[in-house]
Amino acid sequence: MSGLQGLAQENIWFDKSRYDEAEKRFYEGENGIPQTSQSQNASKSEDQSELVSRLKSLELDNKNLHKVVDDLRAVLSKLETRMAVLEKSQAPASKTVTVTKAAPVQKPKVEKHNGADDDDDDIDLFGSDEEDEEAERIKAERVKEYAQRKAKKPALIAKSSILLDVKPWDDETDMSKLEECVRSIQMDGLLWGASKLVPVGYGIKKLQISCVVEDDKVGTDILEEEITKFEDYVQSVDIAAFNKI
């Protein structure tokens, strides 16, 4: 690259076309050939100057590219050096971890014998039994604490919201007394809500009453059965809406 750059900086190569043109005009004059117009020479000179400027621009770009390549090589060299240092530093740590994990596996098995060897068998060089007992004790304490915390939390009670349509026999039925009879039904897990009279037709109105029940304690069948016991006032009971809470 240094040799090509030295040749590129020689101005004689840029002026060679001028020398060739002068030589061509000389021989044309000797042979009686008319010379080209000045406009053509001017256009050629402009083309030559444009070519020269492009070559200089390419040369500058080439220098910049070389600089970028050198910078990238320097960065790559630094990265390779850092990676080598990291690999050397991590190698001893990984070996230490492997030895630590393999130590319990390589624990020698000692058979008990009568006599003086019994004293040696009582010595535990690794202390694994005590560590196991301590770990089991800590685990039991944590399980006990978790069970106590779980027992303190209130259990989730499944509830439902029910809207009942209680229909009387006719328009002469006392609706106030009918509602009083319905609300007189009391059960564990039953809570009566709002109520209203809804016209049915021919002057007859039905009692529409809402309630909230615990699913495990009160069922819709039991509720309907209790309401229909007031047969002097109640003709039928229908479930208008049923929603889980």
Side-chain angles (χ1 to χ4, degrees):
M1 291 299 297
S2 61
L4 294 175
Q5 291 178 357
L7 292 175
Q9 293 177 357
E10 292 292 336
N11 294 332
I12 187 171
W13 295 103
F14 299 143
D15 297 338
K16 183 178 181 302
S17 59
R18 294 171 56 190
Y19 298 143
D20 293 340
E21 184 66 24
E23 184 179 359
K24 180 181 178 182
R25 287 199 301 270
F26 173 76
Y27 286 113
E28 287 178 352
E30 290 292 330
N31 296 327
I33 300 173
Q35 297 182 359
T36 57
S37 61
Q38 293 182 354
S39 59
Q40 294 178 351
N41 293 333
S43 62
K44 290 182 179 180
S45 62
E46 291 177 359
D47 294 338
Q48 291 174 359
S49 61
E50 183 179 357
L51 180 60
V52 170
S53 62
R54 288 184 180 180
L55 288 174
K56 290 182 178 179
S57 177
L58 290 174
E59 182 182 356
L60 181 61
D61 292 341
N62 191 18
K63 290 181 180 179
N64 293 332
L65 287 174
H66 278 290
K67 184 178 180 182
V68 171
V69 170
D70 293 338
D71 294 340
L72 289 175
R73 287 177 179 174
V75 172
L76 183 59
S77 178
K78 291 180 180 179
L79 288 175
E80 290 177 351
T81 304
R82 291 183 62 184
M83 287 295 295
V85 173
L86 289 174
E87 290 177 356
K88 290 181 181 179
S89 62
Q90 289 178 357
S94 62
K95 291 181 181 179
T96 303
V97 172
T98 305
V99 171
T100 304
K101 290 183 178 179
V105 179
Q106 296 175 358
K107 179 181 176 182
K109 294 182 179 180
V110 180
E111 296 181 357
K112 292 185 178 180
H113 300 281
N114 295 329
D117 294 339
D118 294 340
D119 297 335
D120 297 335
D121 295 339
D122 295 336
I123 300 174
D124 189 0
L125 299 177
F126 298 94
S128 60
D129 294 338
E130 296 180 359
E131 292 177 357
D132 293 341
E133 292 177 359
E134 182 68 16
E136 290 294 333
R137 185 183 65 80
I138 295 174
K139 182 179 179 180
E141 290 179 356
R142 291 180 179 177
V143 171
K144 184 178 179 180
E145 292 176 359
Y146 173 75
Q148 291 177 352
R149 289 197 303 269
K150 189 175 181 181
K152 292 179 181 179
K153 293 182 179 179
L156 183 63
I157 301 174
K159 296 182 180 180
S160 301
S161 175
I162 305 174
L163 183 63
L164 299 172
D165 284 344
V166 184
K167 297 177 182 179
W169 288 104
D170 51 29
D171 58 344
E172 295 181 358
T173 303
D174 188 355
M175 299 303 294
S176 299
K177 184 65 176 175
L178 186 147
E179 182 178 356
E180 183 181 346
C181 293
V182 172
R183 290 185 181 274
S184 65
I185 301 172
Q186 298 295 327
M187 299 181 185
D188 185 19
L190 172 63
L191 179 63
W192 293 107
S195 63
K196 64 179 179 178
L197 298 177
V198 179
V200 178
Y202 302 101
I204 301 174
K205 295 181 180 179
K206 65 180 178 180
L207 174 66
Q208 196 170 75
I209 185 169
S210 62
C211 64
V212 176
V213 299
E214 295 182 12
D215 296 342
D216 295 338
K217 297 179 179 180
V218 181
T220 57
D221 296 338
I222 299 174
L223 197 58
E224 291 179 7
E225 182 180 352
E226 292 294 326
I227 294 174
T228 52
K229 286 181 180 181
F230 301 100
E231 54 186 11
D232 293 338
Y233 301 98
V234 179
Q235 178 190 9
S236 64
V237 179
D238 296 326
I239 298 176
F242 186 93
N243 297 308
K244 291 287 185 180
I245 299 177

